[in-house]
Amino acid sequence: MDQALLAQEEHIAEYKKRPSVTAVANGRFHLIGEHSWFAKDKTLSMAVDLPVYVCVSARQDASLRFYFSQLEERKKSTLPSIKFRKEDKWANAIKAIVYGFTSGGFELNGMDFTIYSEVLPSAGCGITTAIKIACAYAIRKLFNLPCSDAQLLQVVERGNKLFLNIENYIADNFAAIYSKEGNVVLTDYGKYSCDLIPFDFEDKVILLTDAKVPRVEMWNEESIQQPENVLLLGELKERKTNAYGGWIYEDNPTEINEVLSVVKEDMRRRLTCIMKEHNFVMEAQKSLNAKEFGGFARAVNHSHKSMRDGYELSCPEIDWILKRLQEINPNIEDSRNPVSCGRITGKGFGRMTYTIMNRCDEENFRNTLVEYEKIFGFKPSCYEVKPSGGVKILG
């Protein structure tokens, strides 16, 4: 049965009434650049066919009821007393959107929500963002609110900053909203805008793997996001009219070393990685537009190596998986044009990796995951995904 119908049936079973609105938003992952948002750089992202369905119906009172079908969990609140509660976990994402509307002057009534997602928020993959975006669009439709798309983004941002007390990762929101099937999204933080780039490699398969490694913070990432570091990176940006976004980073090693000489060695290394990430995003964009998989894959592989060694982002388990990928089909004859690529993905020190390879290599790769489980003791989850579209109202 269609997942949207299953979600609606779950809503009926839970609340004894049909949902007035059903919205769907897809999960996503970031290919390159998700750690450089604070410097107003760029991020390359892909929405994928891991759908999150949100069913909503209005109530006659001010109560809010939340039900997550796959978790079989129920939470509740009220409009007048809505607040963040750690124990509410996934439901806080919905409450943040409700708060984003009410704090912006929009009037709401009580609501019943059903969340239906076969991939749980704990897996990453942008599921929590998909919940937020689908809820925002569903609530706007439910109450026929005079709220433009730009205002809807402000609703999400108020919910993130004022209710959840987290940063706004606009690449997350843009991927969930503006994606189109068969494309990736390039977000320019400096211009608060995004562009779509075709991902035209039908002979390739994309796999998202949750390595199930416990997330351990290797160092405090907030330390790199301090204003003084942003100013240093700003000194190293050069205006270029023919460059995407209108600027590039300085590539003169002497100039770079002089500007970054005021910070400690570990910070200099990490700031250099942020600069490299921007270059890798631009290399990937150029190759995607030219439909050259080799150049794109090279940028991805170099990004992982840079973030692993300089940013201290990866872990032995993720590195083992990616090393096995490169051994499957190394393309020895032309090492500059790899036929596969992979990288750690996710904000923070994530446990997810994405891999892109020839369809004929998929079985060998999945066999390495069996070996991975035997060696490391973690049972990975692996999803085949495709570039997919943004949020939609289904009814």
Side-chain angles (χ1 to χ4, degrees), residues 59-76:
R59 298 175 60 92
Q60 298 303 310
D61 56 20
S63 296
L64 299 169
R65 296 291 184 268
F66 315 107
Y67 173 55
F68 200 126
S69 173
Q70 282 76 7
L71 291 173
E72 295 187 1
E73 288 184 358
R74 296 164 178 83
K75 308 292 182 181
K76 61 183 179 180

Side-chain angles (χ1 to χ4, degrees), residues 55-288:
C55 299
V56 189
S57 52
R59 298 175 60 92
Q60 298 303 310
D61 56 20
S63 296
L64 299 169
R65 296 291 184 268
F66 315 107
Y67 173 55
F68 200 126
S69 173
Q70 282 76 7
L71 291 173
E72 295 187 1
E73 288 184 358
R74 296 164 178 83
K75 308 292 182 181
K76 61 183 179 180
S77 185
T78 64
L79 285 169
S81 62
I82 193 168
K83 62 181 179 180
F84 179 90
R85 298 172 63 207
K86 187 176 180 180
E87 60 269 28
D88 282 351
K89 298 177 287 187
W90 54 269
N92 285 316
I94 311 173
K95 290 191 289 182
I97 298 303
V98 173
Y99 177 87
F101 277 110
T102 57
S103 63
F106 295 99
E107 293 188 8
L108 306 179
N109 292 332
M111 288 169 279
D112 294 322
F113 293 87
T114 296
I115 308 299
Y116 188 96
S117 174
E118 294 186 347
V119 180
L120 302 181
S122 59
C125 307
I127 300 303
T128 299
T129 298
I131 291 173
K132 294 175 189 174
I133 298 300
C135 283
Y137 274 71
I139 291 171
R140 180 175 69 173
K141 177 70 173 179
L142 178 66
F143 296 110
N144 195 26
L145 298 175
C147 179
S148 66
D149 286 350
Q151 289 174 308
L152 209 59
L153 276 169
Q154 293 174 1
V155 166
V156 177
E157 291 175 359
R158 282 195 298 272
N160 284 335
K161 287 186 175 180
L162 303 179
F163 188 86
L164 297 175
N165 195 30
I166 61 174
E167 289 290 341
N168 267 301
Y169 299 98
I170 62 172
D172 292 4
N173 299 334
F174 283 178
I177 294 172
Y178 300 120
S179 293
K180 289 188 178 181
E181 185 176 341
N183 289 263
V184 296
V185 179
L186 179 55
T187 296
D188 186 335
Y189 281 87
K191 295 187 175 182
Y192 199 84
S193 64
C194 66
D195 286 315
L196 297 175
I197 306 173
F199 190 85
D200 193 14
F201 305 112
E202 294 183 359
D203 58 328
K204 302 294 181 180
V205 59
I206 307 167
L207 299 177
L208 269 180
T209 302
D210 183 349
K212 298 295 176 67
V213 181
R215 287 185 173 92
V216 177
E217 190 170 290
M218 305 297 292
W219 53 277
N220 182 6
E221 197 171 9
E222 291 184 1
S223 64
I224 199 175
Q225 299 163 5
Q226 300 307 307
E228 56 268 28
N229 291 330
V230 176
L231 289 174
L232 289 174
L233 290 173
E235 286 186 46
L236 292 166
K237 292 180 178 180
E238 293 185 276
R239 291 188 178 277
K240 293 284 185 179
T241 56
N242 60 344
Y244 180 88
W247 64 272
I248 61 172
Y249 273 116
E250 170 69 62
D251 62 359
N252 185 314
T254 302
E255 179 69 17
I256 294 171
N257 289 333
E258 182 176 339
V259 172
L260 298 184
S261 64
V262 297
V263 297
K264 294 181 179 180
E265 173 60 24
D266 59 345
M267 185 60 68
R268 185 196 67 80
R269 187 172 61 249
R270 291 163 187 164
L271 290 172
T272 300
C273 281
I274 293 299
M275 297 171 62
K276 289 181 178 178
E277 278 291 276
H278 183 267
N279 293 337
F280 294 140
V281 170
M282 295 296 90
E283 290 174 17
Q285 178 236 12
K286 181 179 178 181
S287 296
L288 288 172

